[in-house]
Amino acid sequence: MENGYCFLLAAVFLIESFYEVRLYAFLQVAIHHPRAQGKQEQIKRVIYWERRWNWGSWILIILLLFAPGRYNTLLMAVITLIETIVVYRMDRIKQQLI
């Protein structure tokens, strides 16, 4: 059961990662659009946190490879939770710009 849950979290993380890349590309272009004049600080802030999270997620993924089996589900849950928060913030800004 625990392995199935960890696999499900990994699948959710991968799906969110692909969506995050698309959002990042959109926000990089949108920051220079005239419609985003009032939102540039928010876009810069969310891009800053997304870049920091990229480094943090790689560190946690490498730690996941070396962690004992009983911590894998916990680490995967933390990684997926933070990824969800980052994607949610990016998507909220995208929706405000559209």
Side-chain angles (χ1 to χ4, degrees):
M1 180 68 183
E2 192 172 318
N3 286 338
Y5 184 63
C6 195
F7 179 78
L8 179 66
L9 287 173
V12 169
F13 174 76
L14 288 174
I15 292 167
E16 286 181 341
S17 294
F18 285 117
Y19 189 58
E20 179 185 18
V21 170
R22 291 176 52 104
L23 286 171
Y24 180 78
F26 174 81
L27 291 176
Q28 285 289 79
V29 171
I31 198 167
H32 302 295
H33 197 274
R35 188 184 300 173
Q37 288 297 342
K39 304 282 185 195
Q40 286 182 346
E41 283 303 314
Q42 287 180 329
I43 295 171
K44 287 179 185 177
R45 192 175 330 121
V46 79
I47 288 175
Y48 171 82
W49 284 111
E50 193 276 334
R51 288 180 185 160
R52 295 298 176 255
W53 167 238
N54 277 340
W55 283 102
S57 68
W58 278 106
I59 291 169
L60 288 175
I61 290 170
I62 291 170
L63 183 63
L64 182 69
L65 295 174
F66 296 109
R70 62 180 177 256
Y71 296 114
N72 285 348
T73 304
L74 176 63
L75 280 172
M76 203 61 223
V78 169
I79 291 170
T80 306
L81 176 65
I82 297 172
E83 182 77 11
T84 303
I85 292 169
V86 169
V87 168
Y88 173 75
R89 290 184 67 197
M90 292 172 76
D91 189 52
R92 191 175 62 193
I93 291 176
K94 177 186 173 190
Q95 295 302 320
Q96 290 173 0
L97 293 175
I98 293 179

